[in-house]
Amino acid sequence: MDQESPKNSAAEIPVTSNGEVDDSHEHNFNRDLKRSLPSGLGLSETQITSHGFDSTKEGVIEAGAFQGGQRTQTKSGPVILADEIKNPAMEKLELVRKWSLNTYKCTRQIISEKLGRGSRTVDLELEAQIDILRDNKKKYENILKLAQTLSTQLFQMVHTQRQLGDAFADLSLKSLELHEEFGYNADTQKLLAKNGETLLGAINFFIASVNTLVNKTIEDTLMTVKQYESARIEYDAYRTDLEELNLGPRDANTLPKIEQSQHLFQAHKEKYDKMRNDVSIKLKFLEENKVKVLHNQLVLFHNAIAAYFAGNQKQLEQTLKQFHIKLKTPGVDAPSWLEEQ
């Protein structure tokens, strides 16, 4: 009697009526496998997908955390809240990004202006005043340089006259037959040296005042002018960006960019208007201060030079008193604060 061969369920391949492989068995196998695993162990869901024997692809095993029939990825590590503290490194990185973007826009604006392709905002009246100020600063620097040269040469002459007066005085004592002649020349050279020191004090006071005007007062105004010019370049750069966006299409993607560009343009416009107002005020105050300072210093310089070459010692000393100039006596230290009290 023929014996039936035992059937091995693992070797059976169910086939549908159309000749295709039936996947219901595979699906039931996976379902039974998941039910057999303990749910409290937190094991990963395992799905084994097999393909037909005629496929060249290998089997795929997918693994993931099993949670309510859905696969989710578990992340280890501390829990990060939504309102986390800002990272200083990220803040610095954001500042660098904004600075780089602003520098790029300004550089592009400068290049386009030099090439004649971009437009620039010009305040004709203010620009004319700035040009005059820069030109005057160069001329005042030249006057200051010449006055310093005159002071150096006068100092050398006074030093030579003092030495010559001492030499004449020494010969006056040693040469009895020429005692009076050497004595006259010694007195004359000493008087010239004294008047020269007085004139030197007036010239040095003139130099100090003009130096303060040129290298502090005018320079401070020019620093404000540089800030104004930087604000003008930024204003024109963001104005150009806004104009380019307004010429383009308006849709859901471009409208947020236009609104952001409008906000940045308005902020830089306010900065530009503020800097322009600051420059106008400083130029006005500088002009008033410059006229007052130079008027006094030019009167001092003229009166001191005229009195010196006229040989009018009293007029020369009166000029220094008029401008409250105190000469420092050679070899005498300045009084202490106790002596001044």
Side-chain angles (χ1 to χ4, degrees):
M1 183 176 62
D2 296 334
Q3 295 181 355
E4 296 179 356
S5 60
K7 296 180 180 180
N8 189 350
S9 61
E12 292 180 356
I13 301 178
V15 180
T16 61
S17 59
N18 295 329
E20 297 176 353
V21 179
D22 186 8
D23 293 334
S24 60
H25 179 72
E26 177 186 351
H27 176 71
N28 295 332
F29 173 75
N30 289 333
R31 183 182 60 188
D32 295 339
L33 179 62
K34 287 190 289 184
R35 289 178 178 177
S36 63
L37 291 176
S39 61
L41 297 178
L43 298 177
S44 299
E45 175 194 8
T46 304
Q47 178 181 355
I48 303 175
T49 306
S50 61
H51 299 276
F53 61 89
D54 57 343
S55 176
T56 58
K57 297 181 180 179
E58 298 179 354
V60 179
I61 301 177
E62 298 179 358
F66 180 76
Q67 186 176 12
Q70 295 179 353
R71 281 197 310 274
T72 58
Q73 268 190 338
T74 59
K75 295 182 180 179
S76 61
V79 177
I80 301 176
L81 300 178
D83 298 334
E84 61 180 356
I85 301 176
K86 293 183 179 179
N87 190 351
M90 295 300 296
E91 292 181 354
K92 292 181 180 180
L93 185 62
E94 180 66 17
L95 291 176
V96 171
R97 187 190 69 82
K98 291 181 178 179
W99 174 84
S100 302
L101 182 61
N102 186 72
T103 302
Y104 164 74
K105 291 179 180 293
C106 294
T107 304
R108 184 183 62 178
Q109 176 67 23
I110 293 173
I111 293 175
S112 63
E113 289 179 4
K114 290 185 177 180
L115 295 177
R117 298 176 181 176
S119 60
R120 64 188 299 264
T121 304
V122 179
D123 189 330
L124 296 178
E125 182 179 358
L126 189 61
E127 293 288 340
Q129 293 178 3
I130 293 173
D131 291 339
I132 292 174
L133 176 62
R134 285 173 172 162
D135 184 61
N136 286 339
K137 183 176 184 291
K138 292 180 181 179
K139 294 178 179 179
Y140 295 154
E141 286 175 342
N142 185 44
I143 290 176
L144 185 62
K145 182 179 179 180
L146 295 174
Q148 290 172 344
T149 303
L150 177 62
S151 176
T152 302
Q153 294 174 349
L154 181 61
F155 175 81
Q156 295 295 334
M157 186 181 71
V158 169
H159 181 69
T160 303
Q161 287 174 339
R162 189 183 297 112
Q163 289 182 334
L164 190 58
D166 293 339
F168 282 146
D170 183 62
L171 288 173
S172 174
L173 296 175
K174 295 180 180 180
S175 301
L176 299 179
E177 63 279 4
L178 297 174
H179 172 74
E180 294 183 357
E181 289 78 0
F182 280 124
Y184 294 153
N185 282 278
D187 294 339
T188 301
Q189 294 301 321
K190 289 181 180 179
L191 180 62
L192 290 173
K194 182 180 179 181
N195 292 342
E197 291 174 355
T198 306
L199 177 62
L200 190 61
I203 293 177
N204 288 336
F205 185 77
F206 172 83
I207 291 173
S209 299
V210 175
N211 181 66
T212 301
L213 175 66
V214 173
N215 294 322
K216 291 185 178 180
T217 309
I218 295 180
E219 187 64 29
D220 178 70
T221 304
L222 289 178
M223 287 296 296
T224 307
V225 169
K226 290 180 181 179
Q227 295 175 1
Y228 157 75
E229 292 175 344
S230 298
R232 197 274 307 166
I233 293 174
E234 291 179 354
Y235 165 70
D236 283 338
Y238 285 92
R239 175 182 56 81
T240 303
D241 280 352
L242 181 60
E243 291 175 353
E244 291 177 354
L245 288 175
N246 286 330
L247 293 176
R250 290 177 174 266
D251 51 26
N253 294 328
T254 59
L255 283 178
K257 295 181 180 179
I258 293 176
E259 291 179 359
Q260 183 182 9
S261 181
Q262 179 69 34
H263 175 72
L264 294 173
F265 165 75
Q266 189 65 31
H268 285 86
K269 183 179 184 301
E270 293 176 358
K271 180 181 178 182
Y272 167 72
D273 292 337
K274 180 181 179 299
M275 293 306 305
R276 180 174 59 181
N277 186 50
D278 291 346
V279 170
S280 299
I281 294 174
K282 281 202 171 186
L283 286 175
K284 180 180 178 181
F285 287 150
L286 175 62
E287 186 65 22
E288 296 175 356
N289 186 39
K290 181 192 71 174
V291 171
K292 182 179 179 180
V293 170
L294 288 182
H295 170 75
N296 294 332
Q297 296 305 316
L298 291 174
V299 170
L300 165 67
F301 192 83
H302 171 268
N303 292 344
I305 293 290
Y308 173 79
F309 284 100
N312 193 339
Q313 182 181 0
K314 293 183 179 180
Q315 181 64 31
L316 184 59
E317 293 176 352
Q318 185 64 30
T319 300
L320 267 66
K321 291 180 181 179
Q322 179 183 355
F323 291 91
H324 308 286
I325 301 174
K326 294 182 179 180
L327 297 178
K328 184 179 179 181
T329 305
V332 178
D333 296 332
S336 64
W337 64 274
L338 287 175
E339 295 175 345
E340 291 179 354
Q341 295 296 330

